């Protein structure tokens, strides 16, 4: 292999490494995690018309626990 081929291989691997690290940093940022968790559990917060007050409180507690678990916040 000549030096040009080796330089191209090094540039390609360096670029792929940089892009993958940048993607993972962005994907795992707290803002993006929060957005994903909100979208995932948004359907749990819809108010069913036929649910009683006690049932609705249980639904909200379950959705809140699931959201906290998704965010990685420890529950006590």
């Amino acid at each position: 292999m000549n030096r040009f081929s080796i330089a191209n291989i090094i540039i390609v691997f360096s670029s792929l490494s940089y892009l993958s690290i940048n993607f993972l940093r962005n994907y795992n940022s707290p803002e993006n995690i929060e957005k994903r968790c909100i979208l995932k559990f948004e359907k749990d917060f819809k108010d069913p018309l036929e649910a009683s007050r006690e049932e609705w409180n249980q639904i909200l507690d379950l959705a809140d626990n699931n959201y906290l678990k998704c965010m990685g916040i420890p529950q006590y």
Side-chain angles (χ1 to χ4, degrees), residues 3-65:
R3 291 182 183 181
F4 184 70
S5 298
I6 293 173
N8 281 339
I9 291 172
I10 291 172
I11 290 171
V12 166
F13 281 122
S14 298
S15 298
L16 287 174
S17 297
Y18 172 76
L19 289 173
S20 63
I21 290 171
N22 198 18
F23 169 77
L24 289 174
R25 184 181 305 144
N26 185 33
Y27 184 78
N28 291 327
S29 70
E31 296 86 18
N32 287 335
I33 291 173
E34 183 178 4
K35 287 177 188 176
R36 285 193 308 271
C37 290
I38 287 173
L39 290 174
K40 186 175 181 181
F41 297 106
E42 192 174 46
K43 63 179 174 16
D44 292 341
F45 287 105
K46 303 274 190 233
D47 186 11
L49 297 176
E50 64 277 350
S52 69
R53 182 113 174 126
E54 292 174 3
E55 289 174 323
W56 179 237
N57 286 336
Q58 289 176 349
I59 291 170
L60 288 178
D61 287 340
L62 179 63
D64 189 42
N65 289 340

